[in-house]
Amino acid sequence: MSTTGQVIKCRAAIAWEAGKPLSLEEIEVAPPKAHEVRIKILYSGVCHTDDYTLSGSDPEGVFPSILGHEGGGIVESIGEGVTDVAVGDHVIPLYTAECRKCKFCLSGKTNLCQSVRATQGRGLMPDETTRFTCNGKPIYHYMGCSTFSEYTVVADVSVVRVDPKPSLQKLCLLGCGVTTGFGAATKTAKVTEGSTVAIFGMGCVGLSVAQGAAYNKASRIIAIDTNPGKEKIAREFGATDFINPKDHNKPIQQVLVELTDGGLDYTFDCTGNVEVMRAALEACHKGWGESIIIGVAAAGKEIATRPFQLVTGRVWRGSAFGGVKGKTDMPKLVQEYVDGKLKVDEFVTHTFDLQEINKAFEAMHSGTCIRAVLTLQSE
Ligand code: NAD
Ligand code: ZN
Ligand code: ZN
């Protein structure tokens, strides 16, 4: 029976308020309006950014909302004017939209499309309303995705069609973590062949940076993590060295500068800790070393270093979604995965059903989890 044009009742995990566990509810999902797409979500990864928002530290966090931004699903119906995707397509929602029309998209300098940014940041669809209700109460969207729901509605600029062959259980990780790290190395930093790289934090994002640096043929990839349990997997993703800062009584930047004859060509923060960001910048080689900030710091935190560090040629940059343009670049990443050149399966260490979502959040804090993937509906 077709659900096109109908309100769909389904299950979703609702974040009623900050700092509380998510709660499984029956919700109503309205049909897509013009330039909107309703997606049957099959799988969703759980990312630290979901946890960050749920914790209440995110200045943009709005409640009650449906979190989740690393999903994969199938288009159930489309609103008027949607041309990029069709019913039945396998898709990945994009928290960084790509409209190909705004000043940012046309600049050729950034992936930070602004077409839906203002409403997305307030948990709303572009027409300033929501498509979700629970017992008649409006529920806010999250990062333009809201993938912790069996059905979601996104703007047409916020979704990309992908090859239907690979399982979305793995492919959904391209919606955030894998793409963010791989893109930060290959697109933002453009790591060059033979260069040296240090990566702070070996979660999904840092491991993806390692993978991207290896892909671009860096000669030395130093993984740094305070959890010694991360060494094995870091090496599997291309790290040539592993350092636990706790094993040294000198600041880690000094350890790295001494180890690499003056510092690294590229460093990456994948922790969100502002002290680590400083160490990453100061571990760069004088004259040309570049440090990329990927981690999301807690609200109100600021970075600091002596300006002389920059005067003498070190560069500080940031990267959101790996500098990747969802519609233009994602299909190429999927192809790399299909061709066996991009690891994705290896990131999935835990799987849960939607009703176990709070266990997935607990797993994320366990130190052994790279990514927990939720199953929402069968394929
Ligand atoms: P994660 O928690 O799985 O990994 C973080 C790793 O850092 C862990 O292995 C931890 O042991 C290690 N760590 C913590 N403190 C450390 C320290 N002082 N020195 C060295 N290692 C340390 O997280 P993740 O999912 O990989 O995400 C990493 C960060 O990236 C988070 O802040 C997340 O919010 C952010 N993120 C940013 C973007 C973006 O577009 N910029 C996208 C996704 C995630
Ligand atoms: Zn994320
Ligand atoms: Zn745009």
Side-chain angles (χ1 to χ4, degrees):
M1 200 184 73
S2 169
T3 43
T4 308
Q6 314 281 314
V7 169
I8 294 180
K9 287 193 184 212
C10 69
R11 298 180 310 157
I14 296 189
W16 287 108
E17 52 183 306
K20 295 276 167 64
L22 300 177
S23 146
L24 201 69
E25 309 278 358
E26 185 182 76
I27 62 157
E28 300 85 40
V29 184
K33 294 191 182 176
H35 291 286
E36 296 178 2
V37 178
R38 190 161 60 181
I39 306 167
K40 175 182 179 180
I41 297 288
L42 304 184
Y43 300 100
S44 179
V46 180
C47 171
H48 279 85
T49 308
D50 300 309
D51 189 52
Y52 166 71
T53 302
L54 183 58
S55 74
S57 307
D58 178 358
E60 276 199 346
V62 287
F63 300 91
S65 58
I66 297 171
L67 303 175
H69 61 281
E70 198 176 67
I74 297 174
V75 174
E76 174 271 338
S77 61
I78 55 175
E80 214 177 291
V82 173
T83 53
D84 277 9
V85 297
V87 172
D89 281 350
H90 283 212
V91 292
I92 293 178
L94 300 168
Y95 64 82
T96 303
E98 185 184 357
C99 76
R100 296 177 164 145
K101 286 185 200 145
C102 74
K103 184 179 178 184
F104 289 74
C105 281
L106 294 175
S107 72
K109 297 179 178 182
T110 178
N111 65 331
L112 297 176
C113 172
Q114 298 295 293
S115 60
V116 293
R117 182 65 210 119
T119 43
Q120 177 174 319
R122 287 184 284 123
L124 299 170
M125 294 301 289
D127 75 343
E128 307 264 343
T129 63
T130 88
R131 298 293 160 272
F132 303 125
T133 50
C134 181
N135 299 320
K137 195 174 159 46
I139 306 294
Y140 290 106
H141 295 251
Y142 176 64
M143 289 177 77
C145 295
S146 291
T147 57
F148 295 160
S149 173
E150 290 177 322
Y151 286 88
T152 191
V153 179
V154 304
D156 61 356
V157 291
S158 306
V159 60
V160 60
R161 175 178 36 211
V162 294
D163 183 343
K165 284 189 291 297
S167 168
L168 286 165
Q169 191 201 12
K170 308 295 183 328
L171 223 48
C172 66
L173 299 191
L174 289 177
C176 183
V178 173
T179 303
T180 295
F182 190 80
T186 58
K187 287 189 81 86
T188 306
K190 300 188 180 70
V191 167
T192 53
E193 187 168 350
S195 58
T196 58
V197 175
I199 306 157
F200 294 76
M202 287 290 120
C204 181
V205 174
L207 291 168
S208 302
V209 173
Q211 170 161 233
Y215 183 95
N216 275 13
K217 303 192 174 72
S219 61
R220 192 169 189 188
I221 302 170
I222 305 175
I224 299 143
D225 203 297
T226 45
N227 176 354
K230 294 292 176 96
E231 174 164 3
K232 185 169 172 285
I233 191 160
R235 290 187 186 275
E236 284 163 17
F237 277 90
T240 56
D241 303 65
F242 182 88
I243 300 179
N244 182 347
K246 291 181 179 165
D247 292 342
H248 296 267
N249 46 26
K250 285 187 261 191
I252 183 69
Q253 51 269 58
Q254 198 182 328
V255 173
L256 288 166
V257 167
E258 286 169 10
L259 188 69
T260 56
D261 185 28
L264 283 304
D265 298 322
Y266 303 96
T267 67
F268 296 84
D269 165 68
C270 310
T271 70
N273 176 323
V274 293
E275 295 304 324
V276 172
M277 292 175 192
R278 175 175 196 148
L281 186 269
E282 295 178 357
C284 284
H285 202 287
K286 186 178 187 174
W288 62 76
E290 294 193 13
S291 189
I292 317 295
I293 295 179
I294 310 173
V296 177
K301 292 285 183 188
E302 296 184 348
I303 49 171
T305 190
R306 286 181 304 119
F308 193 66
Q309 292 282 340
L310 303 185
V311 169
T312 50
R314 293 168 197 84
V315 176
W316 227 339
R317 274 185 216 291
S319 180
F321 198 43
V324 166
K325 291 187 172 211
K327 295 212 188 227
T328 304
D329 301 328
M330 187 77 89
K332 295 180 221 160
L333 281 179
V334 173
Q335 192 58 44
E336 297 282 281
Y337 168 63
V338 170
D339 294 345
K341 293 181 195 156
L342 181 73
K343 288 192 180 84
V344 178
D345 299 8
E346 292 79 355
F347 289 94
V348 182
T349 54
H350 294 66
T351 53
F352 296 97
D353 285 320
L354 176 61
Q355 66 262 28
E356 303 171 302
I357 190 163
N358 291 308
K359 281 193 195 158
F361 276 76
E362 280 164 34
M364 187 164 54
H365 295 136
S366 69
T368 58
C369 175
I370 303 300
R371 267 302 192 258
V373 175
L374 301 169
T375 302
L376 289 102
Q377 301 196 70
S378 53
E379 286 193 42

